[in-house]
Amino acid sequence: MPRSLNTKLVLFSLLAWIAVGCKKDTPQPSGGSNPPNQEECHDYVFNGGEVFDTYITTGVQYARPFFNPNNGDEFVYVRSGTGTYTELVKRKISTGQETILCNSLMIPSQPQWGKQGWIVFSTLSLTTWKIYEDGTGLSQISPSGVECYDPIISESGDKFFGGGIPFTVYGYAPAVFGLNGAVVDSILCQHGSISLGRLAAGEQDFKNGYYHFYDSSEPVENFGYCKLNNNQSVDKLTSFSMNDGEDVGACRNNENLYYALYKNGLYRLNLVSRQVDKIMECCQSRFIMSLSMSPDGKSIIFERVRGHQTTPGGMVIDEQSEIFLYNLITKKETKILWEE
């Protein structure tokens, strides 16, 4: 039974007061020296009548990785299942050395690491925060009383595009903030029947960025990616329907934009020819949830979720988030973090 991505969000326990604090640590690398074999795709088969499937997570989850834009040997990710809150963790790929940057907040979004060393992320309270790459300077940067989530940091790392900012009557959204929380720019998000959504990748100038869009004039293929041109017009680059799966993340290098569709696959969109190729298959029991491009544009790091029915024919699905590195040149996939 298909389910909406909205139900994929993990229901964390909320406390009345969230204590703000950070610590640094160096835990042992996770997993053994040899990862388990990758599970094949399979559809869930349920016994009995109408299905009310339930999705759970058990154990430690490794989710939402994002590369250090200045060092392709490092990334930051969100770890859960180890305590009351999530952990924002910095990891060095070559050695497995880890540093816990923050363990006092619930972080449901992909953290964004900027070239100036600041990492921005949102919390369950729909506020956006920043922390420096050494674990200092934790503070809320979204304006008080404003819902601002799923930030995308700029290429230069000095500003971010915030999600959830409503359009004005003229179709603009004051959605670009400096790292001090001040609005520094507005994006024209409404172009006739086309509405811009999440920014696909960090840009130096968000007015000329790549965005996910929705076109209300097209009843079937009405979602996709487009290029915003100086905040004045949009060029559609590709389109797909909701039946193809919800968009769950995108990143790009100079030649291609890569995007994942929920339980469908990973796609490569050539930014010049606009040709779209499916480069990785996903399914009910194995799918991608977020991705990030390496500084040299040659690798992608992503979260893959693998699931299994806790009992044959049963309605409970146990899902495990793991982190992989994919070399775009050699097509080699390497498992970085997982739970046995």
Side-chain angles (χ1 to χ4, degrees):
M1 181 178 187
R3 63 179 176 134
S4 169
L5 177 57
N6 293 330
T7 63
K8 175 68 176 70
L9 297 178
V10 179
L11 298 178
F12 295 111
S13 298
L14 292 178
L15 300 182
W17 297 97
I18 296 181
V20 176
C22 299
K23 73 173 185 178
K24 291 188 284 185
D25 195 8
T26 307
Q28 293 295 316
S30 303
S33 58
N34 295 308
N37 293 329
Q38 179 60 52
E39 295 182 8
E40 295 296 326
C41 276
H42 61 269
D43 289 332
Y44 300 129
V45 177
F46 300 99
N47 296 332
E50 188 173 0
V51 174
F52 295 95
D53 43 348
T54 301
Y55 291 79
I56 64 171
T57 58
T58 55
V60 180
Q61 307 297 314
Y62 307 97
R64 298 178 281 282
F66 194 90
F67 268 115
N68 179 344
N70 299 313
N71 179 3
D73 192 35
E74 279 190 324
F75 67 94
V76 67
Y77 72 96
V78 177
R79 182 165 62 201
S80 62
T82 57
T84 303
Y85 301 105
T86 56
E87 295 174 320
L88 183 65
V89 184
K90 179 174 64 175
R91 183 180 179 91
K92 191 168 185 177
I93 297 174
S94 59
T95 65
Q97 180 182 6
E98 292 194 336
T99 302
I100 299 176
L101 301 179
C102 183
N103 63 352
S104 60
L105 296 168
M106 290 296 192
I107 306 174
S109 71
Q110 183 184 35
Q112 301 273 307
W113 196 338
K115 286 184 177 179
Q116 298 186 13
W118 287 100
I119 298 167
V120 298
F121 57 89
S122 60
T123 68
L124 279 184
S125 61
L126 304 181
T127 55
T128 295
W129 295 63
K130 71 177 180 181
I131 191 169
Y132 200 63
E133 60 190 15
D134 64 358
T136 62
L138 178 69
S139 60
Q140 180 180 328
I141 52 175
S142 58
S144 179
V146 175
E147 290 188 359
C148 182
Y149 50 84
D150 289 342
I152 301 291
I153 203 160
S154 64
E155 183 179 303
S156 57
D158 61 345
K159 55 183 177 290
F160 67 92
F161 177 88
I165 308 300
F167 300 172
T168 68
V169 66
Y170 300 106
Y172 284 87
V176 182
F177 300 85
L179 294 186
N180 61 358
V183 175
V184 297
D185 212 345
S186 294
I187 301 300
L188 183 58
C189 292
Q190 192 69 48
H191 299 261
S193 61
I194 299 175
S195 300
L196 302 188
R198 180 177 170 85
L199 188 72
E203 307 288 346
Q204 182 60 35
D205 180 7
F206 292 144
K207 294 179 181 178
N208 289 284
Y210 294 87
Y211 290 82
H212 185 253
F213 76 84
Y214 165 70
D215 190 342
S216 61
S217 70
E218 299 180 7
V220 181
E221 293 188 336
N222 51 8
F223 294 89
Y225 283 99
C226 67
K227 174 69 165 59
L228 178 62
N229 300 310
N230 199 30
N231 229 16
Q232 296 179 351
S233 63
V234 295
D235 289 332
K236 291 184 181 180
L237 303 178
T238 186
S239 60
F240 44 84
S241 73
M242 185 61 73
N243 292 332
D244 295 322
E246 297 179 55
D247 163 66
V248 292
C251 62
R252 74 173 183 88
N253 54 24
N254 291 332
E255 296 83 26
N256 302 296
L257 187 148
Y258 296 83
Y259 62 92
L261 298 182
Y262 183 55
K263 294 192 174 182
N264 181 319
L266 178 64
Y267 291 82
R268 179 181 60 222
L269 164 65
N270 187 281
L271 297 175
V272 176
S273 69
R274 305 188 182 186
Q275 177 177 331
V276 175
D277 297 297
K278 190 174 189 178
I279 63 173
M280 194 177 295
E281 192 70 40
C282 296
C283 59
Q284 275 190 323
S285 63
R286 195 184 74 206
F287 54 90
I288 294 172
M289 283 299 295
S290 61
L291 55 158
S292 171
M293 181 66 65
S294 63
D296 62 6
K298 296 180 180 179
S299 298
I300 289 176
I301 195 166
F302 63 85
E303 171 193 352
R304 174 182 282 151
V305 179
R306 60 179 171 92
H308 69 276
Q309 289 171 286
T310 57
T311 58
M315 298 180 185
V316 178
I317 310 298
D318 190 352
E319 294 186 333
Q320 176 69 35
S321 287
E322 303 170 331
I323 293 178
F324 290 77
L325 185 67
Y326 180 70
N327 189 300
L328 297 170
I329 309 302
T330 65
K331 316 301 181 188
K332 180 182 178 181
E333 184 179 292
T334 304
K335 207 167 191 177
I336 302 297
L337 280 168
W338 69 95
E339 187 177 56
E340 300 286 356

